[in-house]
Amino acid sequence: MSSRIKEMMRVATARLGGEQSPRGGTSQAGRAEASRTARLGGGGGSLRRQPQPQAPTVRTIYCNDREANAPVGYKGNSVSTTKYSVLTFLPKGLFEQFRRVANLYFLMISILSTTPISPVHPVTNVVPLSLVLLVSLIKEAFEDWKRFQNDMSINNAHVDVLQGQKWESAPWKRLQVGDIVRIKQDTYFPSDLLFLSSTNPDGVCYIETANLDGETNLKIRKALEKTWDCVIPEKASEFKGEIQCEQPNNSLYTFTGNLIVDKQTIPISPNQILLRGCSLRNTEYIVAAVIFTGHETKVMMNSMNVPSKRSTLEKKLDKLILALFATLFTMCVIGAIGSGVFINEKYFYLGLRGRVEDQFNPKNRFVVTILTMFTLITLYSTIIPISLYVSIEMIKFIQCAKFINNDLNMYHAESNTPALARTSNLNEELGQVEYIFSDKTGTLTRNLMEFFKCSIGGEIYGTGITEIEKGGAERAGVKIDDDEGKRSATAVHEKGFNFDDARIMRGAWRNEPNPDACVQFCRCLAICHTVLPEGEETPEKITYQAASPDEAALVAAAKNFGFFFYRRTPTTVLVRESHVERMGSIQDVAYEILNVLEFNSTRKRQSVVCRFPNGKLVLYCKGADNVIFERLADGNHDIKKTSREHLEQFGSAGLRTLCLAYRDLSREQYESWNEKFVQAKSSLRDRDKKLDEVAELIEKDLILIGCTAIEDKLQEGVPACIETLSAAGIKIWVLTGDKMETAINIAYACSLVNNDTKQFIITSETDAIRDAEDRGDPVEIARVIKDSVKQSLRSYLEEAHRSLRSTPGRKLAFIIDGRCLMYALDPALRVNLLGLSLICQSVVCCRVSPLQKAQVASLVRKGARKITLSIGDGANDVSMIQAAHVGIGISGQEGMQAVMASDFAIAQFRYLTDLLLVHGRWSYLRLCKVITYFFYKNLTFTLTQFWFTFQTGFSGQRFYDDWFQSLYNVIFTALPVIMVGLFDKDVSASLSKKYPQLYQEGIRNTFFRWKVIAVWGFFAFYQSIVFYYFTAAASQHGHGSSGKILGQWDVSTMAFTCVVVTVNLRLLMSCNSITRWHYFSVAGSIAAWFLFIFIYSAIMTSFDRQENVYFVIYVLMSTFFFYLTLMLAPVIALFGDFLYLSLQRWLFPYDYQVIQEMHKDDPHEYSMIHLPERSHLSPEEARSYAISMLPRENSKHTGFAFDSPGYESFFASQQGVGVPHKPWDVARRASMKQQRQQQHTGRS
């Protein structure tokens, strides 16, 4: 290639942002072979296409020509989800760790400790910091290694790639843009592909997108007719196509592009795109071209992390750390000033005359003060708990992995779905939630749709009564008998269809006064959809794969009405129709589908243009009532009015409604419109917008056929769950896209609203707004709605305040529709909206968009500064889930997008009771206790050093040995606090749900207030004085067995022993329940100290300071004084705590302490979990479950209900469950045997 051509290529590549050199090391032979398989017309090398400069918004791909694509520098297909590489692990990992204030602080302290001004050896700070960093880095490395292994298995999976005229297997990572690949049945797509051909007739294939959105319904994809013959490699090698498409983006459901073949431009739609991660089903194999690879695939561009969320407690912990910094600074300033004042040459025995180092030079007191300041910072550094963050992370992780994920109370046996904690950062946030934002469909309801009623030509069909109608009748005092036994012989109840009306079933609609309308109604149901039929083509055995349960229900209704949709091809829909005139006769009719105008959240409707066998052209449309009514032709006012009344009636019964309409088209009308449609579909810019605009041209002058009503029943336990959460002080808001009548009735059914509730309703369905709409001026309509909303908010807010003053306990509810909410969220009205919403116990927002859901959640989160939780099950709930403090995803019928964006996932709404009132509350209590205890034990330890400073002339002399200080947090006091964070329980799970008011302590943040911290700080201050002055003063006249008086290291070792023993015992005093793990950890920590000091004081080396404590413990243990101090000092130190806890419990008890006293004599409460008959538990899991159900022994201590170790094997033998015997059972069995013998003797 000449230098001129190379320069042109370089310029073109630079404009495209690509690399200058081709990717990979392809040999000359390989490149020649590639060029032979991708030339225009199979000519010589001079005819090979050269890449042209492209606009940055367009990607041009040459199929089957790697050399033509190489200069552009498209990314390879290898993916990496790891956080680190071998080179970046250490620097990036350390950077992540030192982003934490405490770690950065200790790094500075460690650096200071290496300087001459440090009174402590560097090991004092370096060792604990190194241990903390090591643990954190090992955890990061382990998690990243798992990700790396997963990436390797994916990148090395194999796929068939076209090489010459044959298929050759190659790993995914070797794929390049433009390659032709063959995908076999039940395998995954390795990249984003353009579907070329299939072994199925008419170029169709079936795919499953479960990995993408969780939906298991099969979806149909259709290849372009121009590429159908590329099935065999010989034909595929001749394919020379040029793809011009959009640049990589994260939009899963849109695609804009054109395929240029033989100078013909063919538009590419999402129907021809196969996304990476989806799998091929019911198709032997397909052939496709690679368009996006690796990290440029849509699924990888969507695989961004959920927005990082920090819990409120963690943010308040930062404030506590800052308070500790302030305390440290104050202590250092006092010591530094004291040093500057104390230093004086008059203390001749200190040798301060002559040449002395700057830190002790009396002639420069300012320098002495400054240097002493830095000295004391290193000396008092232990006041900041270095192991706190690691301990909290460990506790949270185990809480999620072992407690939340394995809770059988939140296990849904029908779907085999356990609870899933997707993050461990927000456990305690679950214990402080005050506002819940909930979706309705699929969250409060089951999202299992059943066709229940309909209105055709102004006549209602269907005689059933919904659950909400029954609930409304009961509220009105009317008793309705269950009509299950009174159903007619024509009633049918199957999946998606629960209908009873003899007038229309089994062809009886022929005798109705409007048979033509019935035919149009049924044809619309049978034709206007995207459902795929599966199985045998009989009404009894066929199954429907639908994108939503609503569509499947509507097609099932058409089948039961005599219009059986049984087959679909890319261009036709086949329906087996009951004969319009002859009863019992059927005919198979093929309707040619010319155009499909798909449903989306903006259009809120779906249309198809079809051609009847006789050539007649008809547009069928179904959609939301407000959308369809706007597009109806003039006239037929009676049926419109009647249908509106029917829609309101259906909405009041809690049914989901759709309107059906049609329009007859002339050939000229259709051809004129279709030209515009094809042009819009071929557009590379704003294709979706242009398609919507073209759709508006034909979706008008519609004739109303009728409307459908589908029932979506409430989930089991929803009303009881909402009542419990309301009693816990949690306010629940329902944000739904349904009509206001439906939303209000759901609110009644869910116990959010009752007859005694005062309702404030703001709706756009008022006379003033309707009059403005009739005039048709958009500006005036907006002004009228805004003024109406502004006036309503102001008047309702005043009325709400008056109501609360007159009737303080009255329940208030606020209901607003999405149109009014749009104006209420205006900054000028937002304050009144928030004020009224916060006063009301329940809020219902209907007809809201996904964006409005997120705006409402953000309004309360930022405006009210309350802890919020969002729960939903669909893709339209993702923004709301991410906007709240805590996001909950429901593993439901609408895919897994909500779950993938959530922090926690559950299968049913009712599981919120356990998640919040049990796990959330326990996590909050435990972490509050862990944090305050860390604060207490570190402050106690550091203050003893502080008191010693006053007796050393503020010189910075250390009181403790370096290793004592290093291991205090990481060994001698580390394990017990973790046990408390995992196992402490104030009341049982059943009592937590029985008394939901206990949850309000978390909402009020009762256990992490400055008042609570001040109490812990006071006792830390008191105990530090006891430890220092008790040991120091009492040892003034003490001496060892050799007659020598006790020195500094004897006193400090004795004081440290008292500190370790006391702080561990203090932890037991603060526990509400004590398990064997508490005993083991406390005893083990104290034993670890003695074991360490025995070994440490028995050896001495020349390169450290161990001579200070050499043989100290042996000298101390030879004196009676040591044992007396070890018994008295902890008792005196803990006496104040014991007195405070007793008085507090007696005079000012917490709510949970009252419940403890009420139930302190209750026998052990068995869990209410019962394994379902069709359980998915393995035999080992079932056996573990049986063991967990065994009773535990209870012991009492000063009014506290303690749980002692469970004697599993003993109780198991009583219950008939085989469990290995434990050593501690021997005494238990012996005592029980003795009791039985005594009872037997007494009877005899």
Side-chain angles (χ1 to χ4, degrees):
M1 187 180 290
S2 66
S3 59
R4 177 177 176 82
I5 297 295
K6 288 183 179 179
E7 180 63 17
M8 291 174 61
M9 291 288 290
R10 187 190 65 77
V11 172
T13 305
R15 289 179 183 174
L16 289 166
E19 298 177 5
Q20 199 166 335
S21 60
R23 297 179 65 88
T26 310
S27 65
Q28 291 290 341
R31 285 195 294 270
E33 178 65 24
S35 67
R36 281 198 297 272
T37 61
R39 288 189 192 126
L40 284 172
S46 61
L47 294 178
R48 189 173 62 236
R49 292 165 293 183
Q50 303 296 340
Q52 299 298 318
Q54 304 170 19
T57 56
V58 177
R59 164 178 285 214
T60 300
I61 301 167
Y62 302 108
C63 299
N64 242 350
D65 194 344
R66 284 193 173 186
E67 284 197 2
N69 292 320
V72 184
Y74 294 127
K75 289 188 177 181
N77 200 43
S78 178
V79 297
S80 175
T81 60
T82 56
K83 193 174 180 180
Y84 310 100
S85 68
V86 176
L87 296 177
T88 63
F89 174 71
L90 204 56
K92 191 174 180 181
L94 289 175
F95 173 76
E96 290 291 330
Q97 294 304 316
F98 287 123
R99 289 175 65 184
R100 290 177 171 171
V101 177
N103 288 348
L104 187 61
Y105 163 76
F106 268 94
L107 177 64
M108 296 169 56
I109 296 299
S110 298
I111 295 172
L112 274 178
S113 65
T114 62
T115 62
I117 64 172
S118 172
V120 297
H121 195 276
V123 73
T124 305
N125 296 297
V126 172
V127 168
L129 177 62
S130 300
L131 286 174
V132 168
L133 294 178
L134 181 63
V135 171
S136 299
L137 289 176
I138 289 175
K139 171 178 169 287
E140 290 285 324
F142 176 76
E143 292 177 351
D144 218 44
W145 175 253
K146 291 292 185 183
R147 288 191 284 263
F148 174 74
Q149 288 181 316
N150 184 57
D151 292 342
M152 290 297 291
S153 65
I154 292 173
N155 290 332
N156 290 317
H158 279 69
V159 65
D160 292 340
V161 184
L162 184 65
Q163 297 289 341
Q165 292 188 354
K166 61 180 181 179
W167 301 111
E168 292 187 6
S169 180
W172 282 18
K173 62 184 178 183
R174 300 296 182 195
L175 282 186
Q176 296 184 21
V177 172
D179 284 352
I180 305 297
V181 296
R182 180 176 66 175
I183 310 297
K184 297 178 181 177
Q185 182 171 334
D186 297 328
T187 57
Y188 292 97
F189 303 136
S191 59
D192 289 351
L193 308 171
L194 171 63
F195 180 25
L196 299 179
S197 61
S198 166
T199 55
N200 288 341
D202 298 327
V204 298
C205 73
Y206 300 92
I207 67 169
E208 183 181 277
T209 60
N211 280 352
L212 206 63
D213 55 16
E215 296 181 9
T216 57
N217 300 320
L218 297 185
K219 297 175 177 60
I220 192 169
R221 293 292 182 266
K222 179 188 174 184
L224 297 171
E225 190 171 349
K226 189 77 174 177
T227 63
W228 282 4
D229 60 348
C230 295
V231 179
I232 58 176
E234 292 78 10
K235 288 290 186 181
S237 64
E238 297 174 0
F239 174 66
K240 306 299 181 289
E242 179 180 322
I243 302 171
Q244 293 183 350
C245 64
E246 62 191 12
Q247 291 290 352
N249 59 72
N250 62 357
S251 178
L252 293 173
Y253 306 108
T254 63
F255 183 84
T256 305
N258 292 324
L259 175 65
I260 303 174
V261 182
D262 298 334
K263 299 183 180 180
Q264 180 182 356
T265 301
I266 308 170
I268 303 172
S269 73
N271 202 34
Q272 286 87 46
I273 301 302
L274 309 174
L275 300 183
R276 177 185 177 122
C278 300
S279 57
L280 185 65
R281 294 283 186 263
N282 298 351
T283 308
E284 183 181 351
Y285 70 83
I286 64 164
V287 176
V290 178
I291 52 176
F292 298 138
T293 51
H295 288 278
E296 291 184 338
T297 57
K298 290 180 179 286
V299 67
M300 291 303 296
M301 297 189 78
N302 271 277
S303 62
M304 60 185 67
N305 295 325
V306 176
S308 178
K309 296 180 180 179
R310 294 184 68 207
S311 69
T312 307
L313 194 69
E314 191 174 341
K315 294 175 183 176
K316 291 177 180 176
L317 173 59
D318 289 343
K319 295 181 180 178
L320 176 58
I321 296 294
L322 291 176
L324 289 175
F325 275 127
T327 305
L328 171 65
F329 182 76
T330 303
M331 292 165 58
C332 293
V333 167
I334 293 173
I337 294 174
S339 176
V341 173
F342 174 83
I343 204 76
N344 199 307
E345 292 183 358
K346 70 179 181 180
Y347 300 113
F348 62 91
Y349 49 84
L350 296 179
L352 300 179
R353 295 189 178 94
R355 292 181 59 84
V356 294
E357 54 185 293
D358 293 339
Q359 187 175 354
F360 304 108
N361 189 350
K363 297 178 182 178
N364 196 341
R365 296 176 183 269
F366 178 76
V367 174
V368 171
T369 302
I370 298 300
L371 293 178
T372 303
M373 182 81 174
F374 286 105
T375 298
L376 294 178
I377 287 176
T378 61
L379 191 62
Y380 301 151
S381 61
T382 51
I383 195 172
I384 308 294
I386 188 172
S387 59
L388 173 60
Y389 287 105
V390 173
S391 300
I392 289 178
E393 278 189 4
M394 190 182 304
I395 290 168
K396 287 183 176 183
F397 176 78
I398 297 175
Q399 283 176 350
C400 290
K402 294 298 181 184
F403 300 156
I404 294 179
N405 293 357
N406 294 332
D407 188 351
L408 288 175
N409 277 312
M410 296 190 291
Y411 170 72
H412 192 236
E414 293 178 15
S415 60
N416 189 24
T417 306
L420 175 65
R422 292 173 47 83
T423 178
S424 60
N425 295 335
L426 304 172
N427 297 6
E428 70 278 14
E429 203 87 324
L430 294 171
Q432 297 181 273
V433 172
E434 190 168 356
Y435 287 89
I436 292 179
F437 305 107
S438 174
D439 178 40
K440 183 188 78 70
T441 305
T443 304
L444 299 175
T445 60
R446 300 179 186 178
N447 203 17
L448 296 175
M449 310 302 178
E450 293 181 339
F451 190 94
F452 200 71
K453 291 185 179 182
C454 62
S455 170
I456 306 175
E459 185 71 25
I460 287 183
Y461 297 94
T463 59
I465 299 175
T466 65
E467 291 179 344
I468 294 176
E469 285 179 307
K470 292 176 184 177
E474 289 176 5
R475 287 191 297 274
V478 179
K479 186 176 180 181
I480 297 181
D481 296 330
D482 193 359
D483 61 343
E484 286 296 322
K486 302 178 181 178
R487 295 169 68 89
S488 69
T490 59
V492 176
H493 192 178
E494 62 179 44
K495 182 180 180 181
F497 189 76
N498 182 17
F499 188 83
D500 181 17
D501 197 325
R503 293 177 298 165
I504 194 174
M505 295 293 291
R506 298 184 179 179
W509 48 265
R510 295 179 183 84
N511 302 321
E512 288 298 294
N514 52 355
D516 293 337
C518 293
V519 170
Q520 291 286 20
F521 181 87
C522 296
R523 279 181 179 158
C524 183
L525 295 182
I527 297 172
C528 186
H529 57 77
T530 57
V531 175
L532 296 175
E534 276 191 338
E536 294 185 25
E537 295 179 353
T538 60
E540 296 78 17
K541 295 185 178 181
I542 199 166
T543 58
Y544 292 122
Q545 296 284 352
S548 70
D550 298 79
E551 281 221 303
L554 295 175
V555 176
K559 178 187 74 173
N560 283 281
F561 292 153
F563 288 73
F564 171 39
F565 161 65
Y566 65 91
R567 191 185 306 165
R568 175 189 289 277
T569 71
T571 56
T572 58
V573 164
L574 280 79
V575 180
R576 189 166 296 154
E577 298 183 357
S578 298
H579 200 279
V580 178
E581 298 176 356
R582 294 193 299 273
M583 188 76 167
S585 299
I586 59 173
Q587 55 187 356
D588 290 350
V589 183
Y591 296 96
E592 183 181 359
I593 304 300
L594 301 176
N595 306 89
V596 177
L597 305 177
E598 296 181 355
F599 176 91
N600 59 46
S601 58
T602 304
R603 285 169 38 78
K604 295 184 179 180
R605 63 190 182 278
Q606 179 187 37
S607 301
V608 296
V609 180
C610 64
R611 179 183 282 125
F612 282 43
N614 60 7
K616 180 181 177 182
L617 295 172
V618 178
L619 167 78
Y620 285 113
C621 183
K622 66 181 181 185
D625 53 354
N626 57 335
V627 175
I628 298 298
F629 271 81
E630 290 174 356
R631 290 161 175 78
L632 294 179
D634 294 333
N636 293 326
H637 295 293
D638 292 339
I639 188 173
K640 291 179 185 177
K641 181 179 179 182
T642 306
S643 296
R644 278 191 182 275
E645 293 173 355
H646 293 171
L647 286 167
E648 292 178 4
Q649 183 178 336
F650 293 154
S652 300
L655 298 172
R656 297 161 60 88
T657 58
L658 281 177
C659 288
L660 310 183
Y662 76 99
R663 177 188 178 188
D664 292 323
L665 300 173
S666 67
R667 183 176 178 180
E668 293 76 16
Q669 282 178 322
Y670 171 71
E671 289 180 350
S672 172
W673 173 84
N674 192 47
E675 289 180 7
K676 299 174 184 175
F677 179 78
V678 171
Q679 185 178 357
K681 202 170 184 180
S682 303
S683 174
L684 285 176
R685 294 179 183 272
D686 301 325
R687 178 180 293 183
D688 292 337
K689 181 181 178 182
K690 292 177 180 177
L691 284 173
D692 289 348
E693 291 173 352
V694 172
E696 291 284 351
L697 301 177
I698 198 170
E699 290 174 329
K700 62 181 182 180
D701 298 329
L702 302 176
I703 299 173
L704 183 65
I705 306 171
C707 53
T708 62
I710 294 176
E711 182 179 22
D712 185 12
K713 294 184 178 180
L714 284 177
Q715 287 184 15
E716 179 185 349
V718 167
C721 174
I722 288 179
E723 283 189 10
T724 302
L725 295 176
S726 298
I730 300 173
K731 299 178 178 65
I732 300 172
W733 295 22
V734 176
L735 312 179
T736 177
D738 285 338
K739 296 188 297 297
M740 181 169 287
E741 296 80 9
T742 307
I744 292 175
N745 279 282
I746 287 290
Y748 269 104
C750 293
S751 303
L752 284 173
V753 178
N754 55 43
N755 290 334
D756 297 327
T757 304
K758 185 175 182 61
Q759 300 179 17
F760 303 110
I761 300 176
I762 299 180
T763 175
S764 57
E765 298 295 325
T766 63
D767 294 337
I769 296 175
R770 285 199 187 99
D771 292 342
E773 289 175 341
D774 291 340
R775 290 191 289 272
D777 185 357
V779 176
E780 184 185 359
I781 294 172
R783 182 187 60 78
V784 171
I785 296 177
K786 186 174 182 178
D787 291 344
S788 174
V789 171
K790 182 178 181 180
Q791 182 180 353
S792 298
L793 284 175
R794 186 184 295 114
S795 61
Y796 284 159
L797 187 59
E798 295 173 356
E799 188 177 349
H801 283 297
R802 288 196 303 269
S803 178
L804 288 178
R805 285 193 295 268
S806 60
T807 315
R810 188 171 187 184
K811 191 175 181 180
L812 306 177
F814 175 45
I815 301 161
I816 185 171
D817 66 17
R819 199 172 179 189
C820 295
L821 182 63
M822 179 175 64
Y823 295 94
L825 288 169
D826 185 87
L829 304 180
R830 193 176 296 172
V831 175
N832 287 342
L833 173 66
L834 183 62
L836 178 60
S837 301
L838 296 182
I839 291 175
C840 298
Q841 283 74 25
S842 302
V843 176
V844 178
C845 301
C846 48
R847 294 288 194 190
V848 291
S849 66
L851 176 60
Q852 287 178 321
K853 291 182 178 182
Q855 288 175 331
V856 170
S858 298
L859 176 68
V860 177
R861 175 176 180 169
K862 298 176 181 178
R865 297 185 180 276
K866 304 292 185 182
I867 308 298
T868 58
L869 180 150
S870 293
I871 180 169
D873 73 318
N876 61 333
D877 302 316
V878 168
S879 55
M880 175 180 73
I881 286 172
Q882 294 182 345
H885 289 90
V886 183
I888 309 290
I890 297 284
S891 309
Q893 304 290 323
E894 292 191 19
M896 299 291 287
Q897 288 195 19
V899 170
M900 291 188 288
S902 67
D903 305 304
F904 300 87
I906 55 178
Q908 297 278 293
F909 183 88
R910 67 177 185 272
Y911 295 156
L912 273 183
T913 303
D914 285 275
L915 188 63
L916 299 184
L917 303 191
V918 179
H919 293 286
R921 187 173 163 278
W922 281 350
S923 296
Y924 167 73
L925 290 172
R926 290 164 178 169
L927 286 172
C928 286
K929 193 166 291 184
V930 166
I931 293 171
T932 51
Y933 175 76
F934 259 100
F935 165 74
Y936 149 78
K937 72 183 181 69
N938 280 58
L939 187 60
T940 302
F941 176 75
T942 307
L943 284 176
T944 55
Q945 175 71 63
F946 181 65
W947 305 133
F948 180 67
T949 304
F950 284 88
Q951 296 197 356
T952 59
F954 305 97
S955 62
Q957 167 66 34
R958 61 201 173 98
F959 184 47
Y960 298 116
D961 182 81
D962 294 339
W963 282 100
F964 295 4
Q965 192 166 329
S966 301
L967 302 180
Y968 175 74
N969 274 315
V970 295
I971 292 182
F972 304 141
T973 60
L975 195 56
V977 71
I978 293 177
M979 295 301 107
V980 170
L982 294 177
F983 300 118
D984 191 51
K985 286 192 294 186
D986 56 347
V987 295
S988 66
S990 58
L991 289 178
S992 295
K993 291 183 283 187
K994 183 178 180 180
Y995 300 100
Q997 294 80 3
L998 290 172
Y999 188 83
Q1000 296 181 16
E1001 291 179 324
I1003 295 176
R1004 297 192 298 265
N1005 196 26
T1006 304
F1007 302 109
F1008 199 61
R1009 295 178 174 177
W1010 289 111
K1011 173 185 173 183
V1012 176
I1013 295 170
V1015 171
W1016 282 95
F1018 171 78
F1019 286 110
F1021 180 85
Y1022 162 72
Q1023 290 177 14
S1024 66
I1025 293 177
V1026 170
F1027 295 141
Y1028 177 72
Y1029 287 103
F1030 189 92
T1031 55
S1035 61
Q1036 285 182 356
H1037 305 291
H1039 55 81
S1041 58
S1042 62
K1044 294 182 179 179
I1045 63 172
L1046 300 178
Q1048 173 194 337
W1049 304 111
D1050 301 292
V1051 175
S1052 65
T1053 303
M1054 192 183 309
F1056 189 82
T1057 304
C1058 294
V1059 170
V1060 171
V1061 171
T1062 305
V1063 297
N1064 279 292
L1065 293 177
R1066 177 63 181 88
L1067 187 64
L1068 289 180
M1069 290 179 62
S1070 66
C1071 292
N1072 291 301
S1073 60
I1074 299 181
T1075 67
R1076 72 189 69 169
W1077 305 111
H1078 291 78
Y1079 293 130
F1080 291 161
S1081 60
V1082 170
S1085 297
I1086 297 173
W1089 154 246
F1090 280 104
L1091 180 64
F1092 166 78
I1093 193 60
F1094 285 153
I1095 298 173
Y1096 182 62
S1097 63
I1099 58 176
M1100 181 174 67
T1101 56
S1102 58
F1103 56 84
D1104 60 19
R1105 306 180 182 181
Q1106 282 179 238
E1107 66 271 11
N1108 295 330
V1109 293
Y1110 179 64
F1111 227 65
V1112 161
I1113 190 65
Y1114 301 102
V1115 172
L1116 287 175
M1117 294 186 71
S1118 66
T1119 65
F1120 173 75
F1121 168 75
F1122 172 74
Y1123 300 100
L1124 183 64
T1125 303
L1126 193 56
M1127 286 190 294
L1128 291 180
V1131 171
I1132 296 173
L1134 293 175
F1135 179 75
D1137 297 79
F1138 182 82
L1139 190 62
Y1140 169 78
L1141 291 175
S1142 302
L1143 291 174
Q1144 178 270 319
R1145 188 181 185 92
W1146 188 19
L1147 301 176
F1148 311 102
Y1150 291 118
D1151 294 344
Y1152 76 85
Q1153 292 174 331
V1154 175
I1155 303 301
Q1156 284 178 345
E1157 294 295 334
M1158 291 169 57
H1159 294 272
K1160 66 180 180 180
D1161 297 321
D1162 288 358
H1164 175 81
E1165 294 185 0
Y1166 290 87
S1167 175
M1168 298 306 293
I1169 303 176
H1170 297 288
L1171 285 180
E1173 293 181 6
R1174 297 181 60 188
S1175 173
H1176 294 270
L1177 298 183
S1178 66
E1180 291 79 10
E1181 292 171 331
R1183 180 171 168 275
S1184 299
Y1185 169 78
I1187 294 173
S1188 71
M1189 294 299 99
L1190 296 173
R1192 297 290 190 270
E1193 216 182 47
N1194 292 335
S1195 61
K1196 303 295 184 292
H1197 177 72
T1198 62
F1200 292 82
F1202 288 138
D1203 293 336
S1204 64
Y1207 305 105
E1208 284 95 344
S1209 57
F1210 170 78
F1211 283 110
S1213 64
Q1214 306 295 313
Q1215 302 289 332
V1217 180
V1219 184
H1221 291 290
K1222 302 291 179 64
W1224 53 74
D1225 288 333
V1226 177
R1228 181 70 179 175
R1229 287 198 298 272
S1231 63
M1232 291 296 293
K1233 183 177 181 181
Q1234 185 177 3
Q1235 290 177 13
R1236 290 198 188 102
Q1237 290 175 347
Q1238 291 174 353
Q1239 292 173 358
H1240 181 71
T1241 305
R1243 292 194 192 97
S1244 59

